[in-house]
Structures are given as structure tokens and as C-alpha cells.
Amino acid sequence: MARIELSDLAHSYLPRPGGEADYALKTIDLAWEDGGAYALLGASGCGKSTLLNIISGLVHPTRGRILFDGRDVTSAPTTERNIAQVFQFPVVYDTMTVRENLAFPLKNRGRDPAYIAQRVQTIARMIGMENQLGRKARGLTADEKQKISLGRGMVRKEVNAILFDEPLTVIDPHMKWELRTQLKQLHREFGHTMIYVTHDQTEALTFADKVVVMHDGRVVQLGTPDELFERPGHTFVGYFIGSPGMNLLDAEITGDTAIVAGHAVPLGDRYATRAGRTQIGIRPEFVSFTDEDDGLPVTVQRIEDVGRHRIVRADLRGFAVNAVLPERMPLPADADRVVFAPEQIGVFVDDWRVEPASTGAA
Ligand code: ADP
Ligand code: MG
């Protein structure tokens, strides 16, 4: 197992890249701690697979270095890196049986037959295929083949890391939950460094201790699920995580007050005035309806019942504002003003969170 460090890493698929737009990965500096369970989360096309393939050695970066426990492996071939990788679609040997497929990585490394047999049995149980070990892979469904791919990724205990690239895409929803639980279990048991790529926040937040959020070729935040929720470092993290995501409103800031569409919004702190597009962000969980005159005027457009709570979708002078109504709380008859919990408001300049000028209210 290893600590994996990416230093000044960048990648372009073009032979002679020019400006930043030519790069699938902009500059990335990031360390994955040994034994961490990470999710790599971001929208399709943001560079997740490129980053994984650079770690495993399938792609050679245009710039920068990859270090395993301080050792530079940038030019090392995939086999030397000792990484297991599971892809989005199954990679199995059709002419081999399930057993032979699972045993393959161990056989390749010359492990003894008794150990292989025992290990294959354990993995087969994890992926729910103990009763199909003798079958040829050819006749299996895509779903079953992907389970074999997952099993192959997990069969070797002594790998430096296991990389999963959206591995549950072709797996049916019920099995998804079960396999994710198994992966977590595997992590607890063996403590491998695991990087699990997904574009699904629920999957990311349930699997990982730490989540790396990518947006447009950059890592915009590394944090625990709670940190991403409570203190998003970038507007993308704010609206991508949460359902619905964070409300973001253009604002002008003077000291501890934001002016949004001509209305004053008290902030929990004082902020210096900065150049750039300034927005305040507030999660729908911290927006509430009020009778007081100093609330912000909104027009309710839609109410959605989502089981435990309701989501109120409203308009504030052209800005969408969503509020989460807690269980059993009625929407006031004249629901036309909202307030934001001041200490829950974040301030963003050109999409990045900025810190208050001084701590504590003046
Ligand atoms: P993700 O896995 O987050 O969906 P990718 O890493 O696959 O993103 O892709 C990042 C960007 O690089 C995208 O714009 C994609 O079109 C481009 N890209 C990915 N693979 C290649 C390739 N082999 N050749 C050229 N461009 C690629
Ligand atoms: Mg991908």
C-alpha cells in the first residue's frame, strides 16, 4: 500500500497543447493518504478517468510527477505500479470460467494453488457468485461480468491501491447497494488505498471518508462529506452536492451585509470588499419563511414532496431560491418572505469561497 502524490500534474490529449482550454487536466497537486477511502466526484467529462489512468500508468501525463511513498513512478509501467483497476464496463476473459477469471491476477503473480483457491472462494462470496464458479464467462450477463471485474480488482491483497472507475454503472440498483457495502467492508478489513470514481453524490458520500471533487479539469475541493456540505470551497461543490444544491445569489458586500436584488442580507461575519463576481451561498436547509418585514420577498413557484420533507422552489427577483421545509412544518399561508441563517451563509468571489475579514461579529 502506498501514499500517492500528484505533483504539478497536467494533461492534454493534444500533441502540442496551447492554452488552458487544451488541457483535460489543468494543474493538480494532491496527495491520497495511504489507506484512505476516497471518492472522486464530478460531472461527466471533468477529467476523472484521465486522472485515474495517470495514477495507474495507462496514460502518461503531459506535465508533472506521480510519487508512490515518495518514489517517482511517472515513467514506471503499469505492472510495476502494482495497482488494481476496475473499469466502467466489464473486462473478462470470455473463454475462462468465473473461477479462472478471479484467479487470474494471483496466478499471474505465481501464488500457490491452495492460497488461490481460498482467496477465490472469499471473493466469489463477496460478489455473490459462489454458485457460478464453474461457468464460462461467455454466457454471463453484463451485470455478472462486471461483478467478476470487481472481484478481480479486489482479489490481490498486496496492491498499492485499488481504483474503481464508475464500476457500478451496469449493475442493477439493488446489487449496487450491496456491492458498495462490500467495498466498504473490504476497505475496513484490508485498509487498501481506494479511489472510487463516480458522478453520483450519494454513491460518493456513502462510500468515502474523503471526497475529492473535480470540476472542469481541476480539483476544487478535498474534504469529508460534512465539510463539503457545510463549507463548500467552490460554488460547484455548493450546487453539485446537496439536493437541491446550494442557493447562489449575486451580491454586493459591505462589511457584514450583503445586498441581494436591492435587499440587505445580514451575514454572520465581516468581509473585505473584493474585485470579481461576488455571490452568497446558502443551503436550502437554512432558508426559512418569515412573517417579519425584513425578510426577502419571494414568489413560491412549486412545492415538491420528497418523502421526509418538502422542497419549496421560489423566485427572488429572478434568482431561484429553494427552501427545505422540515417534516410536518406547514408552509405559512402568505409564504412570501424568507430569511437566511446568517452563520450558514458563505461568500464566494469568482466561484471560490472567501474567508471573513475578521472572525466573530463586530
Ligand atoms: P470523466 O471520466 O470525468 O468523464 P475524462 O477523463 O474521460 O472525464 O475526459 C476528460 C476530457 O478529456 C473530456 O473532455 C474528454 O472528451 C477528453 N478525453 C478523454 N479521453 C480522451 C482521449 N483518449 N483522447 C482525446 N480526448 C479525450
Ligand atoms: Mg470517466
Side-chain angles (χ1 to χ4, degrees):
M1 285 175 265
R3 176 179 195 268
I4 299 173
E5 199 180 335
L6 308 174
S7 169
D8 191 33
L9 196 77
H11 187 67
S12 173
Y13 286 100
L14 302 177
R16 274 179 300 280
E20 207 168 59
D22 289 348
Y23 283 80
L25 295 183
K26 327 284 187 210
T27 305
I28 292 182
D29 283 284
L30 186 68
W32 313 80
E33 296 306 328
D34 189 7
Y38 291 92
L40 182 53
L41 176 68
S44 175
C46 73
K48 303 180 298 294
S49 294
T50 303
L51 189 59
L52 274 205
N53 292 340
I54 286 175
I55 292 173
S56 66
L58 293 174
V59 170
H60 192 267
T62 307
R63 194 184 75 221
R65 299 189 307 151
I66 304 114
L67 307 167
F68 286 5
D69 285 333
R71 191 170 66 89
D72 191 331
V73 298
T74 315
S75 302
T78 51
T79 46
E80 231 174 79
R81 297 191 193 195
N82 197 15
I83 294 243
Q85 190 168 4
V86 180
F87 300 92
Q88 193 166 5
F89 299 102
V91 184
V92 297
Y93 302 103
D94 267 346
T95 55
M96 292 187 190
T97 62
V98 174
R99 176 181 288 109
E100 288 162 343
N101 266 288
L102 292 176
F104 193 77
L106 297 173
K107 228 173 170 169
N108 237 358
R109 306 243 162 186
R111 302 303 301 257
D112 76 82
Y115 174 80
I116 295 178
Q118 171 243 320
R119 191 72 193 134
V120 165
Q121 201 62 42
T122 307
I123 294 295
R125 197 171 331 115
M126 288 182 72
I127 59 173
M129 294 194 73
E130 307 150 274
N131 300 325
Q132 299 177 73
L133 282 170
R135 286 186 63 185
K136 285 263 195 278
R138 186 184 288 116
L140 302 175
T141 62
D143 193 284
E144 290 166 324
K145 287 185 183 180
Q146 184 63 355
K147 285 197 255 168
I148 301 175
S149 296
L150 270 171
R152 275 225 317 259
M154 304 186 294
V155 79
R156 288 178 52 226
K157 288 185 189 176
E158 67 291 346
V159 290
N160 276 323
I162 313 181
L163 314 181
F164 300 95
D165 196 348
E166 313 212 31
L168 305 184
T169 308
V170 298
I171 303 277
D172 79 66
H174 169 73
M175 194 67 199
K176 259 190 184 137
W177 183 85
E178 186 154 336
L179 285 173
R180 215 162 53 218
T181 310
Q182 296 277 19
L183 292 183
K184 256 209 108 90
Q185 174 68 27
L186 179 87
H187 181 259
R188 269 194 291 267
E189 212 169 312
F190 297 114
H192 286 118
T193 307
M194 286 191 183
I195 306 177
Y196 185 101
V197 168
T198 176
H199 60 264
D200 177 339
Q201 58 161 316
T202 312
E203 229 173 83
L205 301 179
T206 52
F207 171 76
D209 304 326
K210 288 271 178 69
V211 182
V212 173
V213 185
M214 280 186 75
H215 176 55
D216 192 20
R218 284 193 179 80
V219 170
V220 288
Q221 192 166 4
L222 187 170
T224 63
D226 284 348
E227 284 164 353
L228 298 181
F229 187 82
E230 288 163 15
R231 293 183 56 80
H234 189 275
T235 55
F236 178 78
V237 180
Y239 68 74
F240 198 68
I241 288 176
S243 58
M246 185 173 241
N247 298 298
L248 291 159
L249 305 124
D250 286 323
E252 262 174 58
I253 296 197
T254 329
D256 59 1
T257 306
I259 306 295
V260 175
H263 295 270
V265 178
L267 304 173
D269 265 307
R270 306 185 67 84
Y271 290 83
T273 306
R274 297 172 196 242
R277 182 187 184 189
T278 304
Q279 292 167 284
I280 60 167
I282 179 86
R283 294 228 173 252
E285 289 79 358
F286 304 112
V287 176
S288 47
F289 285 87
T290 179
D291 294 336
E292 306 292 327
D293 291 340
D294 59 354
L296 297 157
V298 295
T299 313
V300 171
Q301 297 183 312
R302 211 163 70 235
I303 301 172
E304 291 166 22
D305 214 317
V306 288
R308 286 244 188 89
H309 56 257
R310 280 168 300 158
I311 297 166
V312 183
R313 303 216 181 249
D315 173 86
L316 167 70
R317 304 268 190 277
F319 293 117
V321 173
N322 298 317
V324 167
L325 277 187
E327 204 169 6
R328 286 192 292 276
M329 179 177 292
L331 184 67
D334 54 345
D336 58 3
R337 285 183 183 268
V338 293
V339 286
F340 301 159
E343 66 284 1
Q344 299 293 342
I345 299 174
V347 175
F348 300 86
V349 175
D350 290 335
D351 290 316
W352 294 94
R353 171 185 284 271
V354 295
E355 296 304 325
S358 63
T359 48

